[in-house]
Amino acid sequence: MPLSDLHSLPEDLYSADAVREIDRYVIDHQGVDGFDLMQAAAASVFRRLVKRWPEPGRVLVLCGAGNNGGDGYLVAAAVRRHGLDVSCIAVAPVEKLSGDARLAWQKAKKDGVDIIDCGNSAAEELDARFASATVIVDAMLGTGVAGAPREPFADMIRRCEDAVAPVVAVDLPSGLNATTGAAAGDVVRAEMTVTFIGLKAGLFTGHGPEACGEICFESLATEQWLEDSGQLPLARRVDWDAMGALVPRRPVTAHKGRFGHVLVVAGDRGFGGAGILAAEAASRAGAGLVTLATRPEYVAPALARCPSIMVQGLIHGSELPALLDAADVIVCGPGIGQGPWGQQMLQQVVASGKPRVLDADALNLMASRVALKDDDHVLTPHPGEAARLLDCQVAEIEMDRIKAVTRLREVFGGTVLLKGAGTVIASAEVLPGVIAGSNPGMATGGMGDVLSGIIGALYGQLGNPSLATTMGACLHLAAANLASERQGFMGLLPGDVIEALPQVLAEAERNNGGLEMLESKT
């Protein structure tokens, strides 16, 4: 998904119900004609289509029965009026059309659009239509549809998947839950999604990032009535463009004591790399001091990898309190295992009452043995760990990621980050944040260790766990994206992300005036 397009999008993310209520309010209380609104939506899709594909060739539009289908018929009419080759497949019988959607179908017919009925067409004819299409417009299922698509919609979605032509989704890809980003069955994978009135939260988390492709937003001139409609956003969209602007400028008189001392407690036998990655990431993310508490056998490898960190080899949890006393923020969990060593370390960390970031096996131990009694913590589970914490199935977590992270926050307090495409963050008294974008190269071991180190470093510098977590997740993704630009997704390693952190932070500092200020003094 192009970052420039993400940066131009609104921050507020709404549920499907809220967007429908906004649409209804605009029509019922502001005197906007529903068909005019539908025509404006269709015109915006057509503009986006020809901007992306100036010579679209043969356009195939798939239309459902509701307003989403009505949008599709009007898109086809617009394509036809401009002298381009277009045809429609009525996936839902036209007899089911009513209201504005029926008016749209009538207009498409009047304008000479070739419309065939899916139910009365032979498979060979449908095959030919898909084979000859050079752009496909998905206007089958809108925000009002939940659950797995039924036939013939499921068949049409599979045909889109098999087609060579790119797909433009109208409002959202068919089969995607607009609120949660879940996909209960087949879902269209679009190259571009043009969405209207309010951004739907499901476009940015779960299956949304993969299904939507490039997201284009069209307010249809309704933004002036969002507040009056009484509908509140479900979450907010965040990215490095916004978070990078909050990276603090460092004064020329800065010293290491001003930027936090992070203690990383990590790395039981067999998992020494986890602690080393987290500690190095904390150092690269700007922590003033970093100490790694790990098994004695990993002291030498850690110093060889990153001599700027302090490393202590520990055999028993009773050795940890002195290190805890000296630290400002604790990162605990990467590679600690669930055996006696990890249990002792986690108990000491929690008992210290110090601000802490808990990840990996710290979360697994929490699910069965450790209770938290304050809010001075950040939890960073992946869906499997989240399911163990809530004693449910992973599928339940993925069914509604925003609901799941909110529930985790209610149960365990603090700030909670739920990993995955469209990472979601919940903290006290603010809307959940959804990190815009994803990077498939990050699907490899050790990336979570890097994230915990970054968050720990920012927690120590900013003192605000919610801001540190949100900024850290955005920084983590931005560094991965930069590293991927250099070498692609396959083979991307956690160390590559760590190496990219200084460049991403340097650009933010430069944009915020920090580097120029320093250079002017030298």
Side-chain angles (χ1 to χ4, degrees), residues 201-227:
L203 306 187
F204 295 89
T205 191
H207 290 272
E210 180 179 14
C212 292
E214 177 188 352
I215 296 175
C216 305
F217 176 67
E218 297 286 348
S219 70
L220 308 185
T222 63
E223 63 272 19
Q224 58 188 311
W225 297 305
L226 288 179
E227 185 174 347

Side-chain angles (χ1 to χ4, degrees), residues 194-261:
V194 185
T195 193
F196 316 118
I197 299 180
L199 286 180
K200 291 81 179 168
L203 306 187
F204 295 89
T205 191
H207 290 272
E210 180 179 14
C212 292
E214 177 188 352
I215 296 175
C216 305
F217 176 67
E218 297 286 348
S219 70
L220 308 185
T222 63
E223 63 272 19
Q224 58 188 311
W225 297 305
L226 288 179
E227 185 174 347
D228 293 342
S229 72
Q231 299 302 310
L232 299 176
L234 177 67
R236 61 190 177 92
R237 184 189 61 82
V238 290
D239 58 29
W240 180 243
D241 191 51
M243 287 293 106
L246 302 179
V247 172
R249 290 171 54 174
R250 291 198 166 188
V252 176
T253 55
H255 58 84
K256 62 188 177 185
R258 296 185 60 171
F259 304 112
H261 184 172

